[in-house]
Amino acid sequence: MSVSRPDNFTVRSGPTGALVLAGELDVATIEELQDRIDEVLVPGQPIVLDLVDLTFMDSSAMHCLVRTFEATGRPVVLQNASRALRRILGHMTQEPEAWVFDEQRQTPMPM
Amino acid sequence: MSMKSVELILPAALTTPAEARAVVEAIGSDLPEPVLIDVKLLMTELVANALKHASRGIQAVIIRITRNHIVRVEVLDPGPMFNPDPRPPGTGTGSGRGLFLVDAVASAWGVEPEEAGKKVWFELRVAAGREGDVSL
């Protein structure tokens, strides 16, 4: 299997301490996010993900959220999730306690 | 909505799900947004599952949007058949992982043996449109 990594995902640190995601999360890109989360993770403190430029996520992303929740003991805080991402996360009913939407950081946006 | 069908022969690469999504976006541009999102999600799960067994490449991803408002996606791979029971929560590895989503979201889905491997398929029903739709 090819190990090439597409350029369609980036993660950077935002000014408020959130990790700001852009692009698509799936089997090709999830490792990059998980590695970054593992670097900054502190038990007891929630990881905050700003999804403002994230356009897709699959079940590998859900597993990353669950793993992060288990490592920190706090739900992952999701900011600026699009309607598309909310729909996808709404299908992932297995461990809904693993993440929480930050409605204060929700800019209205077209899907 | 006209009948559209596309068959892709895809390599076994980590980037293959993204490639398949790009094709779905192109041919499904007139689908309602929620349906397009769900098709992309379920197809991604099936293609990712197929990649695990597909050292020789995924044989094909076939996407059909039919006149009677059914989107059907078939993923053929050379891997062995499996029992189409989605795994219970907590058993988060193996080919059953994303099948939870397929089972929860698809109108119908299944697994069928093929000459060299298997075919996993799902269908999503698009809400009835206006112009004299064929009843299902």
Side-chain angles (χ1 to χ4, degrees), chain A residues 1-2 4 6 8 24 26-28 56-60 63 84 87-88 91-92 94 111, chain B residues 12-15 17-18 21 33-34 37-38 40-41 44-45 48 51 92 97 100-101 105:
Chain A
M1 188 179 290
S2 162
S4 70
N8 64 351
E24 300 183 321
D26 67 7
V27 288
F56 180 81
M57 59 167 59
D58 72 351
S59 68
S60 67
H63 283 271
R87 180 175 180 85
I88 290 171
H91 291 322
M92 297 180 177
Q94 289 152 280
M111 189 162 69
Chain B
L14 278 175
T15 51
R21 286 197 299 274
E33 194 71 25
I37 292 164
D38 290 350
K40 284 165 63 181
L41 176 63
T44 294
E45 302 297 338
L51 282 174
R97 185 164 103 168
F100 254 102
L101 285 169
V105 177

